[in-house]
Amino acid sequence: MVRFIHQWLVANDCAEHRLDEALLDLTEAQPDDTVMALLRVAPSCDRYGAHLPRGLRPPQPITLYNLAQATVVMWKMLQEPPVPHILKVYFPRLFVHLLFQVFLSTEEMPEEVDTFWKGCQEEHGLATSPNRFAVWTLKSLLCQKQYNDVVVAMEHRCGWDTLLSVDTRHYAVALLAREMSCVSIPSCSQILRYLLWLLRTREPRWDLPALAFLVEVLECLDLREHDADRVLQIFSRYLQSECRERRRLVFKALLKLTDDPLMVRSGQWLKP
């Protein structure tokens, strides 16, 4: 089932194809397998999947067009109760991948994606752009986790609109992180661990907003575990960045670490 869904997404690269009803039928019949397919598809766009565990690595590259298809499928799953339990189980990864979809669809809009999206607008009545649709889907995912306060707080502070700008999205991600930490420390911790893994395994172009999320809720990590070494390795790399904003975020994080008694006693944060 998962293989069929993935092959369908890869095979239908032609712009004239719309989201097939058969795929939606499969989503309804096998929601868990569909979610696993999405986890294989989403991170592989723009070389995200190069370092995934073998079980989640797709057999061939996925385009932004395929990722847009996958986002529509996820949106359909969130709109038609009951929402599959596995969506909640894999919430941290789906949360991160939807953020990536917002970033990617804001930065570029290939002709095939634009054509596909016009078809989706006609078929599903979606009066919005792909990046705003990804935000919309992210909001739905948060609401399914009962994180409505996060959605409302972001609305009040214009955070969702700020997320749609390449120049300001890291500020929006920092705001999102703060609001998330107010409703669920465990979810923040899981998201942070996934972001840590991604930041350690490559230097993606979305690293600035990812770093902003990490720095804002650093206290959600248990620094008595291996997280401390992983965090410091990342900070050491970004201290050498030519980007002033990246260096600023790292210095902000190091100041936070000086308030952690465990880190001060061990002297870890002072190590080169």
Side-chain angles (χ1 to χ4, degrees):
M1 179 68 68
V2 174
R3 183 179 300 173
F4 176 82
I5 295 173
H6 181 266
Q7 288 175 346
W8 190 96
L9 288 171
V10 172
N12 289 278
D13 276 335
C14 296
E16 66 268 19
H17 283 281
R18 295 186 183 182
L19 190 64
D20 196 280
E21 287 299 326
L23 184 59
L24 296 180
D25 291 340
L26 288 172
T27 299
E28 182 177 354
Q30 298 289 340
D32 289 2
D33 288 340
T34 304
V35 172
M36 292 305 298
L38 294 176
L39 287 173
R40 286 182 173 91
V41 170
S44 62
C45 187
D46 193 39
R47 301 184 297 278
Y48 289 153
H51 302 280
L52 279 177
R54 185 170 299 176
L56 287 178
R57 194 178 304 166
Q60 52 186 298
I62 304 298
T63 65
L64 180 56
Y65 172 69
N66 301 136
L67 186 54
Q69 289 177 315
T71 303
V72 174
V73 173
M74 190 185 304
W75 170 75
K76 290 288 291 185
M77 295 173 70
L78 290 167
Q79 301 306 307
E80 299 176 3
V83 174
H85 176 67
I86 198 169
L87 276 181
K88 299 179 181 179
V89 173
Y90 283 95
F91 167 77
R93 292 192 178 196
L94 295 173
F95 174 89
V96 171
H97 296 329
L98 282 172
L99 278 179
F100 295 169
Q101 167 66 346
V102 175
F103 302 157
L104 285 171
S105 55
T106 297
E107 293 175 2
E108 56 183 302
M109 184 55 57
E111 183 178 352
E112 62 175 359
V113 176
D114 184 61
T115 303
F116 164 75
W117 195 250
K118 289 178 181 177
C120 287
Q121 288 178 315
E122 295 176 3
E123 184 176 356
H124 302 293
L126 304 177
T128 185
S129 58
N131 58 352
R132 289 189 179 275
F133 179 76
V135 169
W136 188 7
T137 306
L138 178 58
K139 290 180 185 179
S140 296
L141 182 65
L142 289 170
C143 289
Q144 285 296 334
K145 285 286 289 182
Q146 306 299 317
Y147 297 162
N148 303 65
D149 289 346
V150 175
V151 175
V152 173
M154 288 287 287
E155 292 281 5
H156 287 169
R157 293 169 174 79
C158 300
W160 299 119
D161 289 332
T162 306
L163 190 64
L164 296 173
S165 169
V166 174
D167 295 329
T168 61
R169 65 190 182 191
H170 60 288
Y171 296 117
V173 170
L175 174 61
L176 181 58
R178 288 195 298 272
E179 296 300 334
M180 286 286 294
S181 67
C182 293
V183 299
S184 178
I185 296 296
S187 287
C188 275
S189 178
Q190 292 172 337
I191 292 170
L192 282 173
R193 281 187 169 86
Y194 189 46
L195 287 174
L196 277 175
W197 179 78
L198 291 171
L199 287 169
R200 283 171 49 233
T201 55
R202 72 209 66 159
E203 295 184 11
R205 65 187 185 192
W206 44 261
D207 61 349
L208 182 56
L211 191 62
F213 193 104
L214 170 63
V215 171
E216 201 60 45
V217 289
L218 189 59
E219 60 274 10
C220 293
L221 289 174
D222 186 352
L223 296 177
R224 293 171 297 180
E225 301 177 357
H226 298 299
D227 290 335
D229 290 336
R230 295 167 183 167
V231 168
L232 291 173
Q233 287 174 7
I234 291 171
F235 289 165
S236 176
R237 185 172 82 238
Y238 282 108
L239 276 175
Q240 304 173 49
S241 171
E242 295 181 359
C243 173
R244 181 177 180 181
E245 186 62 21
R246 286 173 174 79
R247 295 198 306 272
R248 185 191 70 81
L249 286 171
V250 171
F251 282 125
K252 179 179 179 179
L254 292 176
L255 287 175
K256 283 189 174 185
L257 291 179
T258 62
D259 294 328
D260 187 305
L262 178 65
M263 296 294 285
V264 172
R265 285 198 301 271
S266 66
Q268 282 182 294
W269 67 283
L270 290 174
K271 293 179 181 178

